[in-house]
Amino acid sequence: MKSYITTPIYYVNGSPHIGHAFTSIMADILKRNRQALGHELMLSTGVDEHGQKNQEAAADLGMPVGEFLDMRCNEFRNVFDRLGVAYDYFVRTSREGHKTAVAGMEQSIFDRDLIVKKNYTGTYCKGCEEFKKESDLTEDGQCPLHPTMKVEQTEETNYFLKMEPFRERLLQHIADNPEFVQPEAFRNELKQMLAEPLDDLCISRPKTRVTLGIELPFDTDFVTYVWFDALANYLTNIGWPEAGYEDWWAECEHMIGKDILKPHGVYWPIMLMAAGLPLPKKLSVHSHWVGAGGVKMSKSIGNVVDPIEVIEKLGVDALRWYLARHMRADSDSQISVEFITQTYNTELGNKIGNLLSRAAKFSKARFDGKLPAPGPLTAEDEAIRKAVVEAVKGMGDWVNLADIPARMQAIITVADEMNNYFAEQAPWDLIKNEETRERCQTVIYVTLDSLRVVMEALTQVIPGSAGKALSMLNAPEVASPWKPELDRLTGDSDLGEIETLFPRVQ
Ligand code: ME8
């Protein structure tokens, strides 16, 4: 079974930030989850290189555009590499093959008489790269998403894609396929966007204003609207229009933030319908991260969480864990370096890393560098083993974007239970008498084998640390397809070098 996961392609007018890191890390987690189910994966992430915003950012730095794009593209790629995002394809919309394919899509829609040329007067937000209706603006006439960028009054002749002929069909598609937009709150928001007749979508920009873009195949005075160009990446990444893309496309799932629901839920499906192409399988939408206290992150407030700063201070898995664990499905979630540090110390450090190092060091010290073989199991042993299997079972099933935090919660809850089990069984007392020595062996084995099961599940979320833990335990390779399975550690086998997985950070 194939599975194709996409992230948005990010504007390169600034450096990669925590929001970019988030969507790409979540996509990576879902990729690892699908792989654990035995699927063949394609994960794309990358950059959106065209449009007025990027053009002006290059000019502001006084750099030639090509050099600027290369610089930023490398920056994004490096950040995703450091975040452990195992992308299979890194998107650049400046790629020749992409540009040709986009022009081909435009020409085919033009040939179907779905594109018209007309004059337009209106308000434009550079942040959104979009014309705005009065009803889209705040009371003081600014874009609610980009209040500091100041909208501009524009009068222009442009090319427009007819949208209204497809509205009913799209609504029907949404009604027939409840999985198409997830979670439900965003499906409802999308239905709201489609409740009224749709204006034609402006799909060009005159070269007098924007040059950084793909030239229209039917009028060389214009470049393609950056969203039309960018959305098409999802098809051009898998080789469209050449044959071979179809199987991937049939299994395509887009991950996006709520800010870009309209382009993905309205423009993109209609572009595809206009071009006579099938719609993607699924759109998974998430809410946003904001600073502590619910305040939007901004440089002037000084509450911006820089992903690189975090991973340099705490390691990449502290960040991955926090993002996976604390994203709320239904509303914005709060983030700060302090919150990440706290969660890292109390959850990864105290609940997981500490138990592993205590149990494994005890085992090495008392059992000659080895993991002891277990004796007969008691009801307490059976109970904790069952709880562990139950808690991680969800990672052996299909995980949706919105399910991730609950699956992490289950793991932390069982980590608490494992700590209680370890404390109650008190192996340090059991080792003191020859009669209870075998019982001690069993407790150590049960604890470490349970931790192995947890770590196998966590390879989907914090692969670096989980991999290290598994090699400390000398565990066999994680099975694929994966299900939680007990007793994969061999009794009386050597343990690896025991390092502190999550050293405490102040
Ligand atoms: O919109 N919390 O690019 P972009 C969580 N180029 N995620 C966030 C976030 C936050 N506070 N801020 C941003 C574009 N994101 C277009 C996309 S796709 C064909 C073209 C994430 O650089 C989230 O995924 O503005 C959001 O949708 C995306 O970054 C927007 O990135």
Side-chain angles (χ1 to χ4, degrees):
M1 176 89 171
K2 284 186 155 69
S3 181
Y4 173 31
I5 300 176
T6 71
T7 77
I9 50 172
Y10 308 110
Y11 288 128
V12 292
N13 62 324
S15 292
H17 58 62
I18 195 74
H20 301 147
F22 172 68
T23 313
S24 290
I25 289 174
M26 292 308 111
D28 176 72
I29 291 174
L30 296 186
K31 166 179 173 171
R32 292 174 199 266
N33 169 254
R34 315 283 193 262
Q35 280 178 324
L37 306 185
H39 290 208
E40 188 189 346
L41 254 294
M42 165 79 173
L43 167 60
S44 71
T45 195
V47 290
D48 186 350
E49 298 177 279
H50 294 146
Q52 192 171 354
K53 227 188 333 190
N54 294 335
Q55 181 181 318
E56 287 177 5
D60 286 347
L61 288 181
M63 282 176 83
V65 167
E67 226 170 85
F68 171 80
L69 295 176
D70 287 347
M71 170 196 81
R72 279 281 196 244
C73 168
N74 288 337
E75 191 183 353
F76 271 83
R77 201 192 259 271
N78 285 338
V79 169
F80 292 141
D81 288 341
R82 293 184 67 181
L83 294 171
V85 177
Y87 52 83
D88 300 286
Y89 187 81
F90 193 87
V91 187
R92 291 194 69 167
T93 52
S94 59
R95 182 176 64 87
E96 282 309 319
H98 170 77
K99 295 200 273 190
T100 318
V102 169
M105 184 185 285
E106 268 164 346
Q107 186 67 52
S108 83
I109 299 177
F110 187 77
D111 293 343
R112 291 174 184 189
D113 287 332
L114 290 165
I115 293 177
V116 290
K117 188 178 188 183
K118 58 185 181 183
N119 193 51
Y120 183 88
T121 313
T123 309
Y124 191 79
C125 170
K126 250 188 297 180
C128 298
E129 297 274 15
E130 239 184 9
F131 288 100
K132 294 283 173 186
K133 290 196 275 202
E134 212 173 300
S135 58
D136 295 332
L137 302 175
T138 60
E139 270 173 19
D140 46 1
Q142 294 307 323
C143 168
L145 296 175
H146 304 97
T148 56
M149 272 198 176
K150 299 266 185 286
V151 292
E152 290 166 1
Q153 288 310 311
T154 321
E155 189 192 343
E156 270 177 11
T157 297
N158 270 309
Y159 287 88
F160 291 79
L161 171 65
K162 293 183 200 167
M163 304 284 276
E164 181 56 16
F166 300 99
R167 185 170 62 94
E168 286 296 335
R169 204 174 124 196
L170 180 52
L171 276 169
Q172 194 56 51
H173 184 84
I174 295 167
D176 294 343
N177 299 279
E179 282 288 297
F180 180 58
V181 182
Q182 284 288 344
E184 195 186 351
F186 294 111
R187 178 159 72 247
N188 291 336
E189 204 174 298
L190 176 60
K191 287 202 289 208
Q192 210 51 45
M193 292 174 188
L194 293 166
E196 303 277 321
L198 293 173
D199 290 338
D200 297 341
L201 174 69
C202 181
I203 58 147
S204 68
R205 296 293 181 264
K207 282 189 183 165
T208 48
R209 178 151 70 96
V210 186
T211 49
L212 187 56
I214 302 172
E215 197 170 81
L216 284 193
F218 41 82
D219 191 337
T220 56
D221 287 339
F222 293 85
V223 297
T224 304
Y225 172 38
V226 64
W227 269 106
F228 189 106
D229 159 358
L231 287 162
N233 92 87
Y234 300 133
L235 274 173
T236 61
N237 300 341
I238 47 173
W240 180 86
E242 302 302 325
Y245 73 92
E246 299 86 347
D247 292 354
W248 289 114
W249 184 239
E251 297 302 329
C252 178
E253 181 178 349
H254 298 315
M255 293 303 126
I256 59 162
K258 64 179 183 180
D259 51 319
I260 55 177
L261 177 59
K262 193 174 181 187
H264 285 81
V266 181
Y267 305 167
W268 179 225
I270 291 183
M271 280 168 59
L272 288 164
M273 288 178 186
L277 289 162
L279 303 193
K281 191 166 189 177
K282 190 165 173 183
L283 193 53
S284 289
V285 191
H286 61 73
S287 297
H288 278 179
W289 290 98
V290 292
V295 185
K296 197 173 156 67
M297 282 177 266
S298 80
K299 289 212 178 89
S300 55
I301 301 176
N303 62 349
V304 174
V305 176
D306 175 24
I308 292 299
E309 223 175 276
V310 172
I311 70 177
E312 276 168 2
K313 180 173 173 212
L314 301 166
V316 62
D317 287 338
L319 179 63
R320 290 178 64 108
W321 174 256
Y322 186 85
L323 295 174
R325 167 108 167 88
H326 289 293
M327 178 82 210
R328 302 159 60 111
D330 46 352
S331 59
D332 289 345
S333 321
Q334 300 183 16
I335 193 167
S336 71
V337 177
E338 205 184 314
F339 291 162
I340 303 170
T341 311
Q342 256 172 31
T343 302
Y344 165 79
N345 282 331
T346 58
E347 295 188 341
L348 292 182
N350 296 352
K351 294 186 181 183
I352 296 178
N354 199 13
L355 181 61
L356 175 66
S357 87
R358 280 167 68 209
K361 280 182 182 158
F362 182 93
S363 186
K364 281 194 95 154
R366 299 311 183 98
F367 297 102
D368 200 18
K370 291 185 191 301
L371 169 76
L377 300 182
T378 64
E380 289 81 4
D381 304 335
E382 301 280 17
I384 192 64
R385 281 156 53 99
K386 188 159 170 255
V388 166
V389 169
E390 274 302 306
V392 305
K393 209 171 65 191
M395 298 307 286
D397 293 333
W398 182 274
V399 177
N400 284 314
L401 178 61
D403 301 332
I404 296 174
R407 309 272 158 118
M408 300 306 102
Q409 172 70 60
I411 289 177
I412 277 304
T413 305
V414 87
D416 276 332
E417 291 169 29
M418 288 162 72
N419 277 287
N420 291 341
Y421 165 86
F422 196 68
E424 278 159 18
Q425 300 302 316
W428 45 88
D429 288 336
L430 298 172
I431 194 77
K432 289 179 189 154
N433 296 311
E434 203 41 51
E435 317 79 271
T436 51
R437 186 179 164 87
E438 188 189 67
R439 181 66 204 134
C440 179
Q441 291 179 208
T442 308
V443 169
I444 294 298
Y445 181 88
V446 166
T447 304
L448 289 177
D449 190 58
S450 298
L451 273 165
R452 174 201 49 85
V453 175
V454 167
M455 289 301 175
E456 285 186 0
L458 286 176
T459 55
Q460 295 175 35
V461 184
I462 47 170
S465 306
K468 263 196 213 158
L470 290 170
S471 68
M472 289 184 215
L473 293 173
N474 210 354
E477 208 172 306
V478 180
S480 172
W482 180 82
K483 286 273 175 221
E485 202 187 312
L486 293 163
D487 296 325
R488 292 187 79 232
L489 289 184
T490 312
D492 267 332
S493 62
D494 289 331
L495 288 170
E497 184 81 35
I498 311 302
E499 301 163 52
T500 306
L501 260 192
F502 307 110
R504 196 171 179 81
V505 177
Q506 285 318 314

